[in-house]
């Protein structure tokens, strides 16, 4: 009887881990200094980390919404006239500075940094390994238990707080490789920080629209291979 109870608990935990780690959107508040000569000009933006069984996608929520609006206008013009009129960027779109997308392909353990210059998208492979040092310090982010880890990456010293309660070795931007989800990470100068703001399940429509290295909502130029 005891053995069966333990087996049921193990199966339940396995299913919980499997289901929880799939098709979730982790929302981070990104605070950053865009101009190092003006450290008082601190900005913030909500970033999305969408987790699926095969890959994750990290991108700006505001840019996503603006690109979606542009695509809707584009589709409407094409349907009505068969051609594209001049499309002016909105003030909100111009103010969004985060234009990149980070794709992590779990099956091949590869990372792609996708950015846009003018009308062309570029897909840059970045498979550097982050050498983490895990520390004994514990803390809380939201209701989750987290543990401290540090690393040097991209010319900066980073302090991360990860949760083994969320069994996904991922995190915001290019950060990954810890035994749990990174819920908070900040560089030593305070110029860049990502902090979990919330988690929600992806809708069926959102999952359907996602592809590992496909177009990011609206392709202004060359497709990403």
């Amino acid at each position: 009887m005891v053995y069966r109870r333990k087996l049921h608990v193990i199966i339940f935990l396995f299913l919980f881990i499997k289901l929880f780690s799939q098709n979730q959107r982790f929302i981070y508040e990104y605070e950053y200094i865009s101009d190092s000569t003006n450290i008082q000009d601190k900005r913030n933006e909500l970033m999305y980390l969408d987790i699926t069984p095969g890959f994750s996608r990290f991108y700006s929520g505001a840019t996503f919404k603006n690109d979606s609006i542009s695509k809707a206008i584009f589709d409407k013009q094409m349907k009505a006239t068969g051609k594209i009129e001049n499309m002016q960027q909105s003030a909100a779109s111009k103010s969004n500075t985060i234009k990149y997308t980070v794709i992590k392909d779990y099956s091949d353990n590869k990372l792609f940094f996708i950015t846009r210059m003018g009308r062309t998208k570029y897909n840059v492979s970045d498979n550097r390994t982050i050498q983490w040092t895990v520390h004994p310090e514990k803390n809380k982010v939201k209701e989750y238990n987290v543990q401290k880890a540090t690393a040097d990456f991209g010319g900066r010293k980073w302090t991360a707080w990860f949760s083994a309660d969320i069994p996904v070795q991922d995190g915001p931007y290019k950060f990954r490789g810890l035994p749990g989800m990174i819920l908070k990470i900040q560089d030593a100068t305070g110029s860049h920080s990502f902090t979990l703001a919330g988690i929600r399940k992806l809708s069926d429509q959102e999952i359907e629209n996602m592809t590992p290295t496909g177009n990011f909502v609206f392709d202004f130029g060359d497709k990403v291979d």
Side-chain angles (χ1 to χ4, degrees):
M1 182 66 71
V2 174
Y3 172 78
R4 285 185 178 178
R5 189 178 297 116
K6 288 183 177 179
L7 182 60
H8 289 161
V9 170
I10 292 171
I11 293 173
F12 173 79
L13 289 174
F14 173 78
L15 291 174
F16 171 80
I17 288 170
K18 186 175 181 63
L19 291 172
F20 184 86
S21 61
Q22 293 180 5
N23 303 330
Q24 301 285 334
R25 171 168 291 169
F26 291 78
I27 303 169
Y28 293 86
E29 183 178 4
Y30 176 35
E31 293 188 342
Y32 62 99
I33 297 171
S34 60
D35 183 357
S36 59
T37 63
N38 183 12
I39 60 174
Q40 302 303 319
D41 183 23
K42 204 159 193 175
R43 304 185 182 185
N44 62 76
E45 192 156 345
L46 288 181
M47 306 293 292
Y48 295 165
L49 176 63
D50 291 349
I51 303 286
T52 73
F55 66 95
S56 69
R57 172 172 290 186
F58 182 74
Y59 56 96
S60 161
T63 300
F64 174 85
K65 290 174 183 175
N66 284 319
D67 282 359
S68 297
I69 292 170
S70 297
K71 184 179 185 302
I73 295 172
F74 170 85
D75 290 343
K76 185 176 180 180
Q77 288 181 354
M78 286 296 294
K79 186 175 180 180
T81 66
K83 61 182 180 179
I84 307 173
E85 306 295 336
N86 291 331
M87 294 176 62
Q88 300 295 326
Q89 282 185 303
S90 66
S93 178
K94 291 179 180 179
S95 66
N96 297 331
T97 59
I98 310 302
K99 303 297 184 184
Y100 63 76
T101 306
V102 178
I103 304 289
K104 301 186 187 90
D105 187 336
Y106 297 152
S107 59
D108 294 329
N109 196 31
K110 292 181 179 179
L111 184 149
F112 301 95
F113 182 85
I114 301 171
T115 189
R116 180 188 300 154
M117 294 182 66
R119 293 179 175 271
T120 304
K121 282 183 179 179
Y122 294 90
N123 186 351
V124 181
S125 178
D126 186 352
N127 295 310
R128 290 174 291 174
T129 300
I130 303 176
Q131 301 296 329
W132 294 102
T133 300
V134 176
H135 302 270
E137 289 95 326
K138 305 287 181 68
N139 210 326
K140 283 267 193 182
V141 174
K142 297 292 186 180
E143 68 271 27
Y144 297 99
N145 296 312
V146 293
Q147 186 169 350
K148 182 180 178 181
T150 55
D152 291 342
F153 182 73
R156 296 178 181 272
K157 296 182 182 297
W158 298 89
T159 297
W161 295 92
F162 69 95
S163 176
D165 295 338
I166 304 176
V168 184
Q169 295 188 16
D170 208 330
Y173 191 53
K174 298 180 180 181
F175 300 107
R176 56 178 175 166
L178 283 167
M181 178 66 74
I182 298 170
L183 302 186
K184 184 175 182 178
I185 185 165
Q186 181 178 25
D187 80 312
T189 67
S191 299
H192 300 271
S193 71
F194 300 89
T195 305
L196 182 73
I199 304 173
R200 75 166 176 83
K201 190 168 182 61
L202 292 169
S203 68
D204 292 340
Q205 184 63 48
E206 288 168 331
I207 296 168
E208 185 179 336
N209 290 337
M210 290 178 68
T211 54
T213 54
N215 296 334
F216 179 52
V217 182
F218 186 39
D219 186 15
F220 287 92
D222 296 342
K223 291 183 179 180
V224 177
D225 297 325

